[in-house]
Structure formats: structure tokens, C-alpha cells
Amino acid sequence: MKGLDDSLDAIESDGLFVIICRYIKQPQLRWLEERRDKLAGVAYFVDDDIRAVVSGNEASLPYKFRLMKLAVRPLPRVNQLLTHIWTSTETLAGTLAAPGHQVDVLAPMPADVINDLSEAKADQVMPLKMVYHATGVHRREHEFLMPIVQAAMEKHAHLHFEVFANGTLARRWSGQGIDSARIAVVPPLTWPAYLAITSQQGADIALAPLLSGKTNASRADTKRIDISRMGAAAIFSRCPTFTRCAVPGEFHIGNTAEDWLQTIDRLVGDRECRLAARDATRISIEKMREHATPAFPGIYFEPLDDAA
């Protein structure tokens, strides 16, 4: 595993199979080009419709600039290297389909063991912790939730709220008039830091809105994994993304303020309902495993039969 800022100089390239995950920088791209004849293959994995994000109005300009620099601009050169293209969903595979390149689906594969904080929280009554963890590319979802969360916080004095946001979104969350002692606006974290924190700190209710649009239509339901790791009861938008592995006991609701407020009220006021929803999402993780892709598409670790 190498990060975007890591050097590749010490890596032995002979027979190496390389997977590019979303982004690549110029030094890494040059390294691949110089050694392409020695490599066993090069795959590109992507889990977002990057073209839709860049052309849409949801992402911030800095985020779009990052996508242009690390994903869009290198693509013509990356395409010359590829032996495989993998996406996280069928919808995204259809979007990226192009002559000369087969696109295979590499569906999410949750880990066998999910850190479970829920048993320690089972007897907790107050305060309750509600979270919304999403990047700035989900600007519309942030804006959708702001008045809903503000109303819920006014109604339930023992409810605390945590949201990941920076820049304009962070300022808007801080300006919602919510008691500063009961809201935490946390800057986005690196993946290792986020994994560590959500493995150690649980939540009672997790909000997972997903509004209709081209970008969201291609998304996978990996948010379930984060929610299960925190031992939280989830509220999902009713949409194909989350319907894929839905199970009885989960809350899948329409994207109206009334529906979301009513569901938050129910989960805040009914401990048994909260625990049942938590357990349902845990079961949905097992369903995700059943639908997962356990091996890299098109990669064979045993010699092919001569007759094949």
C-alpha cells in the first residue's frame, strides 16, 4: 500500500500487479510508464462518478480542483496503461463503459470483524449522540439536514450532534443556533484517523441522507459499514443505493423534513426501537458480504489450464 506522497523507487516492478485507487500523482504515473513492460498489469478502481462531480454544482471549487489534478488530468495517460477497470457499482460501470475497455464491478466487501461499541452503550439513556459523517461533496445533504437537526436539537435537550465539515459548511453548521456545548463541528479526517476514531467512539443515531442526482446514483452503500462500526441506529434515504442491502427493522424514509424529524423523534424517544434499528444494520452488513466481490475481477492466482 502506497499513499499519494509515497515514493515508489524501492519497489520491485518485475511481475507486479498495480491497482490505482481513484487518484495518482505525476511521479507515480511516470514510474508506471517507465516500467509498464515489466508489470503484470495495471487496474484502476473508482467508486465515484468523478465526471459528474466535476461538472455538477455539489462539490466545492477546491474539491473539484483536487479531482481535476489527481483524477481527470492524468486519465489519458492512465488509460494507456490499464489492463483492468473496476467500479463499486453496476450503475457506475455503465457510466464509464467505453470501447476497448471492459469495466467490472468490485462490490464492497466489509471486513469479517466489525468493531462493536453497541453493547457498551446498550444501557445508556442520556445523553444521546447523533452524527452525520460526510465530506463536503455532499453539500446538498448538509444543507438538507441543517434545519432538521436544528429543530431536533431544540426539541430534545439531551441530544448531542456531531458533524464533519469545514470551510463554508462548517461555518453554516456553527451558525444554526444550536447550543455550542451540544454540537461538535469536526474537520474532515484522513481515512486512518477516521477509522481509529469511529472504532473507539460510538454513536446512538447516524444520519445517512442521499438526495437524487447523477453523482449519488452511482454510489455504493459503504456508509452502512461506518454506521455499524459505531453501533448506531441508522436513518437512510429511501433510494436504490441503500435499498440494495436493506433488511427489516431499518429506517428508509423519503427526503422530506417531516419524515426525517419524525424518525429522529422516534429513535430518540424509543430505546428498544433504536437498538432494533442498530441490530438491523448489523444484519445488513452480512447481506453486503453475500453480495460482495471476494476476489479481484479478472485476476487469477493459479496458472490457467493450457486448454482454457
Side-chain angles (χ1 to χ4, degrees):
M1 295 274 294
K2 291 292 183 179
L4 283 171
D5 296 318
D6 294 335
S7 171
L8 306 182
D9 292 341
I11 295 178
E12 174 56 56
S13 60
D14 286 358
L16 186 69
F17 189 92
V18 177
I19 301 172
I20 303 168
C21 186
R22 292 174 61 107
Y23 307 135
I24 191 168
K25 285 188 173 180
Q26 294 300 312
Q28 298 159 333
L29 184 52
R30 285 194 297 270
W31 188 94
L32 290 175
E33 290 172 334
E34 292 168 359
R35 294 161 177 82
R36 180 62 188 88
D37 291 342
K38 297 181 179 180
L39 300 175
V42 180
Y44 178 67
F45 173 74
V46 63
D47 59 351
D48 266 336
D49 188 342
I50 291 176
R51 287 182 295 186
V53 175
V54 171
S55 62
N57 60 0
E58 299 176 31
S60 65
L61 287 177
Y63 188 81
K64 288 185 178 183
F65 178 78
R66 174 181 172 83
L67 291 181
M68 289 294 299
K69 180 180 179 181
L70 299 178
V72 177
R73 190 182 302 165
L75 204 54
R77 291 166 64 187
V78 168
N79 282 337
Q80 299 300 313
L81 303 170
L82 297 181
T83 57
H84 299 74
I85 301 176
W86 302 329
T87 68
S88 55
T89 67
E90 293 281 358
T91 302
L92 186 53
T95 298
L96 298 183
H101 281 305
Q102 177 179 335
V103 182
D104 293 304
V105 176
L106 184 62
M109 182 71 175
D112 290 335
V113 178
I114 300 289
N115 287 324
D116 185 8
L117 303 174
S118 55
E119 293 305 315
K121 298 175 67 63
D123 294 327
Q124 177 178 323
V125 177
M126 294 191 298
L128 294 178
K129 180 180 177 181
M130 184 169 69
V131 301
Y132 178 54
H133 293 170
T135 64
V137 74
H138 289 277
R139 177 185 58 80
R140 292 193 302 148
E141 284 79 13
H142 278 273
E143 293 173 345
F144 170 74
L145 285 179
M146 285 176 186
I148 295 170
V149 171
Q150 194 271 342
M153 298 293 285
E154 281 189 359
K155 186 172 183 179
H156 304 287
H158 62 293
L159 187 62
H160 289 239
F161 182 63
E162 176 182 271
V163 61
F164 281 41
N166 61 2
T168 301
L169 285 174
R171 291 190 291 273
R172 291 187 61 184
W173 274 112
S174 298
Q176 292 301 304
I178 299 171
D179 180 2
S180 60
R182 294 168 51 218
I183 183 172
V185 182
V186 182
L189 304 173
T190 64
W191 167 245
Y194 178 72
L195 179 61
I197 285 179
T198 55
S199 297
Q200 298 164 7
Q201 301 177 10
D204 298 287
I205 300 169
L207 308 180
L210 204 60
L211 304 182
S212 61
K214 186 176 181 182
T215 302
N216 284 343
S218 297
R219 295 193 187 281
D221 51 349
T222 51
K223 182 52 64 178
R224 291 179 175 282
I225 303 172
D226 295 334
I227 292 170
S228 181
R229 186 189 311 116
M230 291 185 288
I235 306 176
F236 297 107
S237 287
R238 188 185 300 117
C239 62
T241 295
F242 292 128
T243 299
R244 185 181 79 101
C245 291
V247 300
E250 290 185 322
F251 286 91
H252 295 258
I253 62 175
N255 287 325
T256 69
E258 181 180 5
D259 286 346
W260 280 77
L261 279 170
Q262 287 179 352
T263 307
I264 291 172
D265 287 347
R266 184 174 176 185
L267 289 175
V268 169
D270 189 334
R271 175 179 175 274
E272 293 304 317
C273 180
R274 222 169 37 242
L275 297 182
R278 173 207 68 186
D279 292 343
T281 295
R282 181 186 298 155
I283 294 170
S284 78
I285 297 297
E286 297 300 326
K287 191 171 182 179
M288 283 186 74
R289 290 195 188 99
E290 294 173 5
H291 291 282
T293 309
F296 295 120
I299 305 301
Y300 302 95
F301 294 96
E302 298 294 337
L304 292 175
D305 186 272
D306 291 339

